[in-house]
Amino acid sequence: MSKKIKLIWDFRGSDAAKIAEHHEIHLKEFINLEKISLNITGFEVVNEFHAFAYMVIHEENKIAVRDALKPHRGVYCD
């Protein structure tokens, strides 16, 4: 079983929540276009000036997805 990585895109400012929510739509489109087996996306609002969108991928897809989408950060998850 391969490890999973959560790729994260941070957004800051008064529009952060709306931008993160919209960015998730593009992440879902990418998953469908590239036929990525794991289909886990979302967005979270940290506070009124910080939100982030995320996508969970298998470790073996890390380089290809990272190079194509340029996330701000990534963390290993369960």
Side-chain angles (χ1 to χ4, degrees):
M1 185 169 190
S2 69
K3 293 182 181 179
K4 295 176 187 167
I5 300 173
K6 180 189 265 188
L7 300 176
I8 300 168
W9 291 263
D10 290 293
F11 301 97
R12 298 187 189 279
S14 58
D15 297 1
K18 289 180 184 177
I19 295 169
E21 184 177 11
H22 182 77
H23 192 71
E24 183 191 11
I25 294 168
H26 294 294
L27 295 175
K28 289 179 180 183
E29 290 171 348
F30 182 82
I31 288 169
N32 289 331
L33 284 172
E34 298 298 320
K35 298 177 179 28
I36 295 174
S37 61
L38 207 53
N39 188 10
I40 301 171
T41 63
F43 72 96
E44 291 183 29
V45 177
V46 178
N47 59 46
E48 66 179 301
F49 295 109
H50 180 208
F52 62 88
Y54 66 87
M55 171 185 192
V56 179
I57 60 169
H58 289 290
E59 186 175 38
E60 59 264 15
N61 297 325
K62 175 178 70 174
I63 302 300
V65 174
R66 181 201 68 195
D67 290 351
L69 299 181
K70 299 182 180 18
H72 298 134
R73 56 194 169 107
V75 294
Y76 283 97
C77 53
D78 297 333

